[in-house]
């Protein structure tokens, strides 16, 4: 299971959730800036992706995965992502152009970084971590 194999369905789900004509979406299309999504739309998109792929995606998973082993205080202070937090974001959100992950990034603005590829990667990780259903 890879990004290109889930991309058509992820594109369809995103388009439907945003009330757009269903079309193949560019992997680097930003959900908020390019597709007009609002942060509230993410919940709908995640719910639809769970149904479409038969997976469970906990809310806030992308940010939790990006934070990794860092404590909340190591990741962000006073609502601004720390240098360590920025480095974790650059690693975890490698599909996002590095110049968009810069000092001064507010933790609340992390969702503006998310692209179609971000959601494809999320689905691929969820599918890979899904327990196998092999009958014995």
């Amino acid at each position: 299971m890879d990004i290109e194999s889930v991309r058509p369905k992820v594109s369809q789900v995103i388009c439907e959730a945003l009330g757009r004509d269903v079309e193949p979406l560019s992997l680097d299309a930003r959900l908020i800036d390019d597709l007009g999504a609002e942060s509230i739309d993410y919940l709908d998109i995640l719910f639809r992706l769970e149904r479409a792929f038969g997976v469970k995606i906990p809310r806030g998973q992308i940010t939790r995965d990006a934070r990794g082993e860092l404590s909340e205080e190591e990741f962000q202070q006073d609502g601004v992502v720390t240098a360590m937090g920025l480095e974790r974001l650059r690693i975890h959100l490698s599909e996002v152009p590095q110049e968009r992950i810069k000092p001064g990034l507010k933790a609340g603005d992390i969702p503006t970084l998310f692209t179609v590829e971000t959601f494809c990667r999320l689905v691929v990780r969820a599918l890979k971590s899904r327990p196998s259903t092999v009958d014995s």
Side-chain angles (χ1 to χ4, degrees):
M1 189 61 53
D2 65 4
I3 290 169
E4 282 304 320
S5 66
V6 301
R7 179 180 174 188
K9 190 68 162 175
V10 170
S11 288
Q12 177 185 347
V13 164
I14 291 171
C15 287
E16 289 172 353
L18 299 179
R20 300 171 58 95
D21 289 338
V22 175
E23 61 178 316
L25 298 173
S26 168
L27 284 174
D28 62 355
R30 298 170 295 179
L31 270 73
I32 290 177
D33 293 344
D34 298 330
L35 302 176
E38 296 179 14
S39 56
I40 190 85
D41 293 320
Y42 287 168
L43 291 175
D44 185 30
I45 291 168
L46 289 175
F47 175 72
R48 289 170 184 253
L49 289 172
E50 287 178 336
R51 266 197 333 227
F53 289 96
V55 295
K56 187 75 180 136
I57 304 170
R59 305 306 166 249
Q61 188 67 45
I62 299 170
T63 303
R64 271 195 305 282
D65 286 350
R67 191 172 81 211
E69 300 299 318
L70 296 179
S71 70
E72 186 64 29
E73 294 75 32
E74 291 171 318
F75 186 73
Q76 63 95 20
Q77 293 180 351
D78 298 322
V80 177
V81 180
T82 64
M84 285 192 302
L86 292 172
E87 189 54 38
R88 286 286 309 159
L89 285 171
R90 286 186 192 103
I91 293 166
H92 186 70
L93 298 175
S94 59
E95 70 278 8
V96 174
Q98 298 299 293
E99 65 271 10
R100 295 190 59 219
I101 303 173
K102 57 186 180 232
L105 177 68
K106 291 183 170 66
D109 290 338
I110 292 172
T112 67
L113 300 173
F114 300 163
T115 64
V116 171
E117 185 173 347
T118 304
F119 282 86
C120 289
R121 288 173 178 253
L122 186 63
V123 167
V124 168
R125 279 194 302 274
L127 287 168
K128 286 181 177 177
S129 69
R130 183 170 57 180
S132 62
T133 55
V134 176
D135 293 332
S136 29

